[in-house]
Amino acid sequence: MKQLALLGATGSIGDSVCAIVRKHPERFGFFAMSAHSNWQKALQLAIEFKPRHLIITEHQAHQALQTESLPSGTQLHWGGDVLNGVVAEPEVDLVVAAIVGSAGMASVMAAVAAGKTLLLANKESIVSAGALVMPLAKEKGAQIIPLDSEHNAVFQCLPDGYQTGHRPKQVKHITLTASGGPFWSKPMTEFASITPGQAVAHPKWDMGAKISVDSATLMNKGLEVIEAHWLFDLGEQDIDVVVHPQSTIHSLVHYVDGSVLAQLGSPDMQIPISYGLGLRDRLENEGAFLDLLALSRLDFHEPDTEKFPCLRLAREAIQAGGTLPAVLNAANEVSVAAFLEGQMGFMEIPSVNESLMMQYGAVPVTSLEQLQALDAEVRAAAQKLIGKKN
Ligand code: NDP
Ligand code: MG
């Protein structure tokens, strides 16, 4: 039985992990779960799965949760420091990083420092801190298995025994597919009137609000190019992106002999997550099967970076290297939140992100503390810029 530490248990990825554990109670148990603000859902999960540790990272939510309502074997904790300690406990077999945003960076680093097997959904951590996470993973022998569907697809198409962080042998390049999001075919002249409700209504995937907006701006694909750069040690020019509206091919690996391997499946996060949880063993997943005849065709288009500049910004950030991806990520987290709160329009997301990139530029990455300080600084500057625009 594998013991999991599920960070971000109350989110959309958390839901999929819990659904898989419900189907395979003989294989997985929860040593720890974390939640941020949603203490009511955290309580329900604790009652159902009886983790040894429940960590709430938001102070008010921790205060609101009554200890006596928890199962007798579950200890309640508050704060990020406890979270970082719990992931390193010897009983933990697998750490699932499913927190949204750079808030997950410290716990990802803690898991890797402890040499744990890390199942990574929290792409923002690797985007911002890849220069620290990947060398540390190699040094500590920590395996990183991507849960993000595209990277999981690439991982599935690489030979058994492949370890993330190394350039895969005999691979020429990879292609990440993008659904294109809800506005792929919308004329740019209508972008100014896009509402948060329209932006979070993803045509293919049911996900948290932040990643849904990122999919609509193609920032998500940009973050994924940076994620692939770190996970597979590929140059930016070796990572193609194509828009594939059916979201059936999750990504492709092009080998030097001209062979192309791809992973296909229904757009259901339980498929890549179960491949990660099974450590490449395939778990039974009824109802997830693909009907090729119902599908009938697969389309591919070149991404339009004029309409969706965030993809270009991500490529620029990776080319400049150093701290610039962390700047882009922090700016984007603030601009997406401001858009969701109705403080600014959809088209301002890329312009705010680009302004902050120009303001901060790139310096070499030296430590987690440096990145956390920079993250806070860029967030404050982005908020100020958005305030001025209003
Ligand atoms: P959700 O918004 O649904 O969930 C986010 C989780 O993170 C919740 O458990 C939330 O807690 C917690 N959280 C939020 N803020 C903080 C914080 N400051 N500190 C600690 N925990 C926090 O997001 P998703 O599940 O959609 O996404 C999670 C990650 O996985 C993201 O990085 C996303 O890019 C990635 N991903 C998601 C996919 C999907 O299908 N959803 C697909 C591929 C990648 P609470 O709710 O209690 O406040
Ligand atoms: Mg993805």
Side-chain angles (χ1 to χ4, degrees):
M1 160 100 86
K2 295 276 186 224
Q3 291 297 332
L4 311 180
L6 173 56
L7 318 183
T10 42
S12 159
I13 293 286
D15 286 344
S16 296
V17 173
C18 290
I20 296 165
V21 171
R22 270 186 208 106
K23 291 181 203 167
H24 302 278
E26 73 299 344
R27 289 185 73 138
F28 306 106
F30 287 105
F31 180 76
M33 287 179 150
S34 93
H36 189 59
S37 59
N38 193 348
W39 63 269
Q40 296 92 334
K41 186 164 174 181
L43 174 60
Q44 277 173 18
L45 291 172
I47 291 169
E48 181 182 356
F49 292 105
K50 302 180 180 55
R52 187 99 61 87
H53 300 283
L54 176 64
I55 303 108
I56 306 287
T57 44
E58 193 195 73
H59 192 60
Q60 276 178 327
H62 174 259
Q63 299 285 81
L65 214 166
Q66 304 293 323
T67 312
E68 56 273 21
S69 44
L70 287 168
S72 57
T74 299
Q75 290 172 33
L76 178 66
H77 311 270
W78 171 71
D81 290 343
V82 180
L83 187 65
N84 302 341
V86 164
V87 297
E89 291 285 331
E91 290 95 328
V92 174
D93 298 305
L94 305 173
V95 176
V96 186
I99 288 174
V100 62
S102 59
M105 210 157 52
S107 47
V108 161
M109 283 291 282
V112 168
K116 297 294 180 187
T117 296
L118 177 72
L119 309 188
L120 180 80
N122 175 212
K123 66 189 84 183
E124 296 90 348
S125 286
I126 204 90
V127 165
S128 299
L132 301 174
V133 173
M134 297 317 294
L136 189 62
K138 282 184 194 163
E139 183 192 328
K140 302 291 180 181
Q143 206 195 345
I144 302 181
I145 301 181
L147 300 185
D148 208 348
S149 57
E150 297 76 4
H151 307 72
N152 188 274
V154 169
F155 187 65
Q156 293 201 34
C157 296
L158 293 172
D160 270 353
Y162 169 76
Q163 296 279 332
T164 49
H166 299 267
R167 193 185 161 98
K169 286 199 184 81
Q170 300 186 323
V171 167
K172 209 171 131 282
H173 66 282
I174 64 171
T175 303
L176 304 180
T177 55
S179 69
F183 311 128
W184 176 246
S185 53
K186 198 179 182 71
M188 209 175 158
T189 47
E190 293 172 20
F191 273 24
S193 62
I194 289 172
T195 65
Q198 291 168 330
V200 297
H202 196 277
K204 290 288 172 191
W205 298 93
D206 182 12
M207 309 181 286
K210 192 259 175 185
I211 184 174
S212 298
V213 176
D214 284 345
S215 298
T217 59
L218 284 202
M219 186 73 257
N220 183 51
K221 213 47 56 182
L223 297 176
E224 290 183 355
V225 171
I226 304 175
E227 183 184 10
H229 158 72
W230 286 115
L231 290 178
F232 306 116
D233 193 24
L234 293 169
E236 174 271 321
Q237 70 286 353
D238 298 327
I239 306 163
D240 288 347
V241 171
V242 296
V243 173
H244 166 47
Q246 290 89 357
S247 295
T248 299
I249 298 182
H250 298 302
S251 279
L252 310 93
V253 176
H254 304 254
Y255 282 89
V256 288
D257 65 349
S259 293
V260 183
L261 299 191
Q263 186 259 351
L264 285 74
S266 309
D268 175 354
M269 281 307 292
Q270 286 191 41
I271 300 173
I273 294 173
S274 63
Y275 188 75
L277 284 172
L279 301 173
R280 294 203 147 196
D281 186 13
R282 296 195 184 270
L283 310 181
E284 200 86 33
N285 188 10
E286 276 182 35
F289 301 108
L290 188 65
D291 181 347
L292 287 176
L293 293 179
L295 197 69
S296 85
R297 59 182 277 180
L298 300 172
D299 297 301
F300 306 96
H301 310 277
E302 198 173 332
D304 181 343
T305 50
E306 211 176 306
K307 254 167 103 174
F308 302 99
C310 287
L311 182 57
R312 168 179 62 78
L313 295 181
R315 289 196 182 276
E316 286 170 12
I318 203 173
Q319 279 163 5
T323 50
L324 203 55
V327 171
L328 171 59
N329 179 69
N332 183 63
E333 288 192 35
V334 174
S335 58
V336 169
F339 166 69
L340 284 170
E341 284 158 21
Q343 292 168 19
M344 60 179 225
F346 183 78
M347 289 176 79
E348 285 172 272
I349 296 173
S351 66
V352 168
N353 295 354
E354 187 157 20
S355 299
L356 271 297
M357 281 172 70
M358 279 161 60
Q359 188 179 331
Y360 278 86
V363 299
V365 173
T366 54
S367 68
L368 180 61
E369 293 68 33
Q370 171 215 21
L371 289 177
Q372 285 172 323
L374 177 68
D375 184 79
E377 207 183 308
V378 174
R379 282 167 192 271
Q383 245 134 19
K384 203 166 143 197
L385 179 66
I386 294 163
K388 261 193 213 151
K389 284 188 177 217
N390 285 335

